[in-house]
Amino acid sequence: MSKIEEIINTEIKLHQQFKNVNVIGFDMDMAIVRYNNNETATLIYECVLEHLVTVFPFLKESKLDFSFSKRGLVIDLELGLILKLDNKKRVIKAFRGKSIVSKEEIDSIYHDEKVIGSESPLKDYDGSNSARFFTMISFFETPITSVIRDFMEYQNSESIRLGKPIDYSTFKQLAKEISISFAKHFNDFTTGHYYTSFKKDPSKYIYKVSNRLKNWLMEIRSKNNTKVILITNSKSEYCHSVMEYSFGENFRDYFDCIIVDAKKPEFFKSDINSKPFTKLMTFYPKEKSDYIECSNIELGVSHDTIFKGGNIHLVLNKLKDHFKKDQISFCYVGDNLIGDVVAPKQVKLMTVAIIEEIQDPDEIIILKREKNTKSQEVQVNSEGLVERSTGKTNYVWGSFFHIHDDHENLSIDTFWSSILRDNADIVVYGVDTLVEYYYQDKFDNKDTLSPCAVVYGGY
Ligand SMILES: [Mg+2]
């Protein structure tokens, strides 16, 4: 079988698999519910800065720069550098404040075995946060990139002005203060700046879901007996606000079960005994009696009951019982590259990644070129496309998916692109594209399908 036939067969299998799953689990924020990312990032930025300027007054001058604060960047907390990685975890671009770090310096910090010993500091980096590396994994974190850039810019210019080396301990302090400001705004639903602004006008931050999506959820549940479960890391109060605005007051009608405060990726990683579920009798629990110990989730329970915490193994057991099967097919849909894509893949679920970056006009050009290369199995002369795409790219970091090596005229995967290739079965722009994909017969037909290893939206 040729490589192309193999890819096409895989895609037909995937489409069939998706159309026949027993269970679909959805992440909420930036997955089944779409956000206005810029408004949300601005609000988060304001929240974080509100606290930070009390500790670092010079950050008053800081501005949120959308073109710089991109998803997938990695912060080196030891050196205050902002990094972009390729699929081999090599640093291909780095910024110290507003200055780009030279290739020589990057090599001496991260790659040069003579200087750093035999192991790269990024050797164990897998996309999760560690003591040294912090990932801008979702649109909730990306605005922090601007703060970090402006902080380092200040430290850099002060070190030049005073003729002293940069004091890197200040950077650790910044990281600590950022986590304090996040806790301040996101842990308290009643007084936190984020939640109060959100509640005042949800329409500024999130979109209502389409009727097509709602109808589809109803259809797969009634006709195919598919179970639909919401599994979100958000707390119950916020979940209620978001779902009520986006789906309407009767949002419960679209789900067989709602799980809040799931603490993904641990939800998928922990063993069956380590993270039990708690039953909440209301989205706004206050009394002790609102929390009830329970052994597992229930499906289709009363409108007020939701579940908190838990782990995937309990859910799978419950569903196996329900379907009276030893094996059930479970598909998880989410936008967090680690918590919603890598973690569920590790427990062998089918995964759908929601990646809004694929609708960026620059990305579409690059992806089309990628598809063409594969479908024709020839080396297409893509220079024109590459030039056009890089010419149009108006942000400093370039494509989310690819790095173009000008010397070799090659396209290399970014770190996140390779994570997606290895862990996501399907990649789409949003849930509406996923509904479109569900109904598209062309994915079942060898003659109409143009192959790509991952389905990149693009209808
Ligand atoms: Mg999310």
Side-chain angles (χ1 to χ4, degrees):
M1 202 190 303
S2 76
K3 183 96 184 123
I4 286 190
E5 274 175 316
E6 232 173 84
I7 294 171
I8 288 179
N9 285 341
T10 307
E11 287 195 14
I12 290 172
K13 222 172 87 192
L14 270 178
H15 193 236
Q16 284 304 318
Q17 199 182 331
F18 182 65
K19 288 191 82 155
N20 294 298
V21 285
N22 299 127
V23 192
I24 303 188
F26 283 99
D27 170 42
M28 182 178 75
D29 302 308
M30 293 151 190
I32 201 162
V33 177
R34 218 181 112 218
Y35 275 63
N36 180 327
N37 293 332
N38 284 6
E39 286 292 348
T40 310
T42 306
L43 176 59
I44 290 169
Y45 189 75
E46 280 168 18
C47 289
V48 172
L49 225 58
E50 196 177 277
H51 169 71
L52 288 183
V53 294
T54 64
V55 189
F56 309 107
F58 58 87
L59 283 177
K60 275 192 187 110
E61 309 298 319
S62 178
K63 291 263 176 313
L64 174 53
D65 180 348
F66 289 109
S67 63
F68 187 81
S69 303
K70 290 288 167 183
R71 182 150 84 135
L73 299 174
V74 180
I75 310 299
D76 184 337
L77 295 170
E78 220 157 81
L79 300 174
L81 302 180
I82 306 167
L83 318 173
K84 179 164 178 157
L85 309 183
D86 74 4
N87 58 353
K88 296 202 171 67
K89 293 194 282 186
R90 287 178 64 88
V91 177
I92 47 114
K93 207 171 219 182
F95 276 86
R96 177 184 289 109
K98 290 177 177 164
S99 322
I100 195 155
V101 181
S102 71
K103 193 178 177 306
E104 290 70 28
E105 192 181 349
I106 289 176
D107 284 344
S108 74
I109 300 171
Y110 300 103
H111 308 145
D112 189 342
E113 287 176 13
K114 277 184 233 115
V115 184
I116 59 173
S118 57
E119 288 186 350
S120 160
L122 284 151
K123 182 180 152 278
D124 295 325
Y125 177 77
D126 63 0
S128 319
N129 296 329
S130 63
R132 178 161 177 182
F133 297 104
F134 184 85
T135 309
M136 296 300 162
I137 196 87
S138 82
F139 292 107
F140 282 124
E141 287 99 12
T142 49
I144 306 305
T145 322
S146 291
V147 178
I148 288 164
R149 181 183 71 174
D150 294 343
F151 186 89
M152 273 313 281
E153 184 64 18
Y154 178 82
Q155 298 301 336
N156 210 14
S157 61
E158 280 297 282
S159 101
I160 293 166
R161 190 175 68 86
L162 302 168
K164 286 182 177 169
I166 293 176
D167 176 7
Y168 286 105
S169 66
T170 58
F171 200 74
K172 285 255 156 86
Q173 202 196 341
L174 172 71
K176 207 181 97 202
E177 297 299 339
I178 288 174
S179 61
I180 290 172
S181 55
F182 262 93
K184 206 166 156 180
H185 289 287
F186 293 96
N187 286 350
D188 185 355
F189 190 72
T190 47
T191 58
H193 180 151
Y194 178 84
Y195 290 141
T196 40
S197 304
F198 179 87
K199 270 194 296 183
K200 212 190 282 168
D201 186 8
S203 70
K204 199 170 164 188
Y205 306 103
I206 55 174
Y207 297 101
K208 286 188 185 290
V209 295
S210 68
N211 285 332
R212 189 163 159 79
L213 172 72
K214 286 187 188 173
N215 294 339
W216 174 69
L217 291 174
M218 285 306 199
E219 184 188 317
I220 54 172
R221 289 173 67 224
S222 62
K223 283 195 193 155
N224 303 1
N225 195 25
T226 309
K227 293 290 162 200
V228 177
I229 304 181
L230 187 73
I231 305 174
T232 173
N233 278 4
S234 285
K235 298 205 168 33
S236 57
E237 297 90 343
Y238 185 61
C239 171
H240 188 267
S241 291
V242 170
M243 295 301 282
E244 195 181 36
Y245 177 79
S246 58
F247 275 79
E249 266 174 27
N250 64 339
F251 68 91
R252 294 285 328 231
D253 295 348
Y254 299 93
F255 298 88
D256 294 282
C257 184
I258 292 183
I259 299 169
V260 298
D261 210 359
K263 299 201 166 45
K264 297 169 284 178
E266 278 70 32
F267 182 85
F268 294 107
K269 285 177 162 178
S270 48
D271 64 71
I272 193 155
N273 297 316
S274 62
K275 261 180 99 257
F277 278 110
T278 308
K279 192 167 165 175
L280 299 181
M281 300 312 288
T282 161
F283 279 94
Y284 297 87
K286 285 183 190 74
E287 314 291 324
K288 228 178 153 193
S289 59
D290 293 332
Y291 302 85
I292 296 177
E293 263 182 57
C294 65
S295 58
N296 208 336
I297 57 162
E298 294 159 38
L299 297 171
V301 287
S302 91
H303 269 202
D304 293 327
T305 315
I306 47 173
F307 295 87
K308 173 182 181 301
N311 64 69
I312 188 69
H313 303 289
L314 285 169
V315 175
L316 289 172
N317 279 356
K318 178 79 197 178
L319 291 158
K320 281 176 198 167
D321 282 353
H322 173 86
F323 286 102
K324 298 186 175 55
K325 284 164 104 174
D326 292 339
Q327 286 297 323
I328 49 151
S329 50
F330 192 124
C331 175
Y332 193 72
V333 183
D335 70 301
N336 187 303
L337 298 153
I338 297 294
D340 299 329
V341 181
V342 174
K345 188 41 86 188
Q346 280 166 351
V347 284
K348 300 196 165 47
L349 304 191
M350 182 183 196
T351 49
V352 175
I354 306 277
I355 306 292
E356 288 199 8
E357 284 85 348
I358 64 176
Q359 227 199 19
D360 185 316
D362 296 325
E363 304 283 8
I364 288 167
I365 291 171
I366 294 164
L367 289 166
K368 275 191 180 150
R369 178 168 57 77
E370 174 90 344
K371 269 190 178 182
N372 289 342
T373 311
K374 280 186 176 150
S375 61
Q376 291 162 26
E377 261 191 346
V378 290
Q379 194 60 42
V380 291
N381 182 352
S382 55
E383 256 181 32
L385 289 172
V386 171
E387 267 176 26
R388 260 201 289 151
S389 73
T390 46
K392 270 182 66 191
T393 301
N394 58 6
Y395 50 86
V396 279
W397 295 103
S399 166
F400 180 78
F401 300 97
H402 301 287
I403 300 145
H404 190 251
D405 183 332
D406 292 325
H407 300 293
E408 307 280 330
N409 197 18
L410 269 181
S411 181
I412 314 165
D413 275 359
T414 59
F415 177 73
W416 294 110
S417 197
S418 69
I419 288 276
L420 283 172
R421 267 182 214 290
D422 294 344
N423 296 281
D425 295 303
I426 299 164
V427 179
V428 286
Y429 167 73
V431 276
D432 286 325
T433 328
L434 190 63
V435 176
E436 191 64 42
Y437 169 72
Y438 180 89
Y439 289 117
Q440 278 280 352
D441 293 338
K442 71 173 181 183
F443 286 101
D444 300 324
N445 187 339
K446 279 189 184 194
D447 302 324
T448 52
L449 186 60
S450 64
C452 49
V454 181
V455 179
Y456 284 111
Y459 301 105

